[in-house]
Amino acid sequence: MALSDMPRVSLAQLPTPLEPLARLSAHLGGPTIYVKRDDQTGLAMGGNKARKLEFLVGAALAQGCDTLVTTGGPQSNHARQTAAAAARMGMACELLLPRLVDGRQAEYESSGNVLLDRLLGAKVHILPRESFHSETFDSALAQLRDAGRKPYFIPIGGSTGLGALGYLLAVEELLQQSRDAGFAPTAIVVGTGSGGTHAGIVAGMIRAGHAARIQGISVSGKQAEREALVARLASEALELAGQGTVNAHQVTDRVSVLDQYVGAAYGQPTEGMIEAVQLVARLEGILLDPVYTGKAMAGLIDLVRRGEFTNRDTVIFWHTGGSAALFAYPELF
Ligand SMILES: *Cc1c(COP(=O)(O)O)cnc(C)c1O
């Protein structure tokens, strides 16, 4: 099926702005840095999941489903945007949220994204960490079917080849904006979690024949395992976009993930993250988040300080949203 014929619903406010971070660039004394404002996609406080959900919810409706079911940690931004998408489409939403982050305070399960999930009308199920596996999801889906519902399951982060198509197309949007502004990016920096965003960017850049470095910064998981995941999702997205002739090496050559900015674990704060969130707030008036973009920006700042990006580079920092989670980490800032 041609990309333009794939079932898709309009959920995101597009194009999102592409803005220079002049004060951050000057402060770091390195490359010219732009930010791609996917924190401004709309859909209940923005974020990268809106672009993926356009295709995922499109598929759900095309299959006659009436309920969106997904999973993530209690402060999942993906769960919050899925709840908003369900509300907008008149669907029900069930969120299966295992306690994937240890040692948090009470706010972690009542504020930020959890508060918004409930406000948006989703049924929130906070579960023990051990329940994060496919049997939990299968039995929830079976129960919903028994109750006469038609559930559509969206894997964690909406990271499937189909979801990644949202980012394959976002690359077209970005490259058009940078051409209009009269520059060519030499690098893109993005947080890598469940991998679909990074994968879609890789697929889109290959499809566009654009050679810029694409640097993923892991927020969970080790380099080799995340790179394999991103490469697989990028290949799936290319296949769906009718670019199935791109071979596996062409994809793996473009996939690079750094894992030294994760800290102790997914969702656990790091000093670099706190510095990055404060710096960007105070220099640019832009809110990052403690779980994803704060760590991704900590990676970018460190790479600039190490001289990996110089004043000859023009770097796009892909802001993927997440600031609702700031309210679940009140003690940090
Ligand atoms: C989900 C998420 C990411 C990571 O995107 P993946 O596609 O899961 O890798 C980055 N930033 C924010 C704010 C997110 O919510």
Side-chain angles (χ1 to χ4, degrees), residues 214-235:
I214 305 156
Q215 186 59 64
I217 307 288
S218 178
V219 301
S220 57
K222 290 287 177 201
Q223 173 174 9
E225 166 250 322
R226 289 296 131 151
E227 287 181 347
L229 171 67
V230 169
R232 176 173 65 73
L233 292 169
S235 294

Side-chain angles (χ1 to χ4, degrees), residues 78 112 211:
H78 164 66

Side-chain angles (χ1 to χ4, degrees), residues 48-49 52 77-78 157 159 191-197 289 292-293 320-322:
N48 58 341
K49 305 312 181 305
K52 302 176 180 185
N77 301 299
H78 164 66
S159 285
T192 307
S194 59
T197 304
D289 83 280
Y292 298 95
T293 54
T320 45

